[in-house]
Amino acid sequence: VIMAYGLKIMIISPDAADVLMCFQYLDSTFLAVAVIFYLLHNVGVNVKPWMKISLYGLAAVHLLIVCVNVNTDLYYSDVEVIQSAKGTAVHVTAGPLMLFHYIYLAIIVLCLATIVMIGIRRRGTYAKANVLVYLSLPLLNLVLYIIEGMTGAHYSMLPVGYAITDVVIALYYDGAHAHDIAFLIAEHHKSEAARGYTAIGLNGKFRSCNEKSYDFLPFLRDINVNDELPEES
């Protein structure tokens, strides 16, 4: 996707722009849907199979429409490569099928807005900074995408947004997931500390246990690691 945007500022042929835009649509289709499902997972929503089938299916139909009509006037009625002070730009004139794209973008925006509402309602049950960071990045790219789409002149600003996204996620990933682990431990420490845990191998031999297990199963004090458990136990 980034390569397609990068190449679009160097092309001189409208036909090349048509082909590159087919690759660019991977970001607003499959990439956007993958991000939405990741964010839903972050706020604790159980993603059903029918949800994945529906959204990925819609993304596939969208991409198919773009690719099938790459050489027609139905999606883009005109594609023109122009030189500007900012470098090469691709000026497009929307065709009748572009309405489908705007409806699709509205669905993506609605999904992101829904995730925001879910996050507000479930505050305190997830790492807020984690969701805010991952949510702000697709919103940044979506804003750049809409600006280019509404002006009709594609200057390929999106690679900047994608580069920022990659760097932030790379720097934030470990910290975010370390926070999640610490949160889970703190949340369940009291209930888990009152339980006895005993590990037994598939061959029926004793592996290990925690201190609380001895209160429930005193005979474990007399058993060594890899010893057979008594049959009566």
Side-chain angles (χ1 to χ4, degrees), residues 92-171:
V92 299
T93 303
L97 288 181
M98 271 298 279
L99 178 62
F100 179 82
H101 181 60
Y102 295 134
I103 294 173
Y104 178 86
L105 283 181
I107 293 174
I108 297 297
V109 172
L110 180 62
C111 289
L112 291 173
T114 302
I115 294 171
V116 172
M117 296 304 298
I118 293 173
I120 293 173
R121 294 185 62 182
R122 297 192 177 189
R123 58 189 180 277
T125 61
Y126 60 92
K128 295 182 181 64
N130 190 7
V131 177
L132 289 175
V133 167
Y134 286 107
L135 184 61
S136 63
L137 296 174
L139 284 174
L140 168 66
N141 289 324
L142 191 61
V143 168
L144 293 175
Y145 189 87
I146 291 174
I147 290 174
E148 286 195 348
M150 294 185 67
T151 58
H154 298 179
Y155 289 99
S156 297
M157 296 185 293
L158 284 172
V160 177
Y162 284 123
I164 294 173
T165 299
D166 292 341
V167 170
V168 172
I169 289 178
L171 295 175

Side-chain angles (χ1 to χ4, degrees), residues 7-34:
L7 288 174
K8 206 168 70 170
I9 64 173
M10 296 184 286
I11 59 173
I12 58 175
S13 165
D15 292 333
D18 282 336
V19 174
L20 288 173
M21 282 189 282
C22 290
F23 286 98
Q24 288 172 198
Y25 273 94
L26 288 170
D27 65 351
S28 62
T29 54
F30 291 102
L31 183 59
V33 173

